């Protein structure tokens, strides 16, 4: 069975976009909302991953304005929500056990951020034997100003690495047509 995985679509991502930070797929929230609707309509699971940082100064601390989910990532009743403290959604949660218990073998991954938590989760999932599709136009990527790298360069390299050995890439429209 397939499940949609929505990684770290929290208000901090919206705040970065609104602040004008160099990013790829600023409109990913629209695609994620459409994908979630399509999965729900087909009776397929939508699983939400949220990042919580223990540092009170972090924008992803539980009390911070950046912590709540974006509207596209609001869970509906009965949907699983996993809160992680690591880059990979598998490392600090019971996500793998949940997927196995539910008979989920194919992950359709969306969310934030391409070069970090999406990358880590996809690679870890592949190592655990999950078939994975990354919805390329429903993943947000940001620049790394300190490294002098643009969002597009980081995104393109990350997607190339994932496609080379860990996942299939597809656009949201193709996933919804499957």
């Amino acid at each position: 069975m397939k499940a949609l995985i929505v990684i770290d679509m929290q208000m901090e991502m919206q705040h970065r976009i609104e602040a004008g930070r160099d990013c790829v797929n600023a409109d990913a929230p629209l695609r994620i909302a459409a994908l979630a609707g399509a999965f729900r309509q087909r009776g397929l699971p939508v699983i939400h991953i949220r990042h919580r940082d223990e540092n009170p100064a972090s924008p992803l601390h539980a009390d911070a304005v950046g912590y709540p989910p974006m509207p596209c990532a609001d869970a509906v009743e009965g949907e699983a929500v996993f809160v992680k403290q690591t880059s990979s959604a598998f490392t600090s949660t019971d996500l793998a056990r949940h997927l196995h218990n539910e008979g989920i073998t194919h992950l359709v991954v969306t969310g934030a951020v391409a070069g970090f938590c999406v990358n880590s989760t996809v690679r870890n999932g592949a190592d655990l034997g999950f078939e994975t599709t990354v919805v390329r136009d429903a993943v947000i990527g940001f620049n790394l100003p300190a490294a002098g790298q643009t969002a597009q360069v980081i995104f393109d390299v990350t997607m190339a690495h994932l496609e080379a050995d860990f996942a299939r890439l597809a656009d949201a429209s193709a996933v919804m047509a499957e």
Side-chain angles (χ1 to χ4, degrees), residues 1 10 25 28 31-32 36-37 45-47 52-53 67 72 86 90 99 103 108 120 123 150 161 163 176:
M1 175 178 12
Q10 293 163 257
N25 294 328
R31 290 187 192 93
I32 292 169
V46 177
I47 299 171
R52 183 181 66 220
D53 194 325
Y67 181 76
C72 69
T86 55
F90 290 100
L99 296 171
V108 178
S120 299
R123 287 173 180 243
T150 67
H161 281 136
E163 186 176 37
M176 287 191 281

Side-chain angles (χ1 to χ4, degrees), residues 155-169:
F155 186 86
D156 290 345
V157 169
T158 300
M159 291 299 126
H161 281 136
L162 293 178
E163 186 176 37
D165 203 32
F166 302 98
R168 172 179 79 97
L169 300 184

Side-chain angles (χ1 to χ4, degrees), residues 88-149:
S88 170
F90 290 100
T91 304
S92 58
T93 72
D94 288 330
L95 177 60
R97 182 178 321 159
H98 174 79
L99 296 171
H100 288 299
N101 288 345
E102 296 297 316
I104 297 165
T105 58
H106 186 158
L107 311 179
V108 178
V109 177
T110 67
V113 172
F116 291 91
C117 299
V118 170
N119 185 20
S120 299
T121 299
V122 169
R123 287 173 180 243
N124 200 178
D127 287 347
L128 294 170
F130 292 100
E131 180 182 350
T132 305
T133 299
V134 175
V135 187
R136 181 184 174 103
D137 59 349
V139 171
I140 294 176
F142 292 102
N143 65 337
L144 287 175
Q149 297 298 318

Side-chain angles (χ1 to χ4, degrees), residues 62-87:
D63 295 330
V65 297
Y67 181 76
M70 294 172 68
C72 69
D74 276 333
V76 301
E77 188 174 336
E79 291 179 344
V81 177
F82 291 90
V83 178
K84 65 181 180 61
Q85 295 177 319
T86 55
S87 185

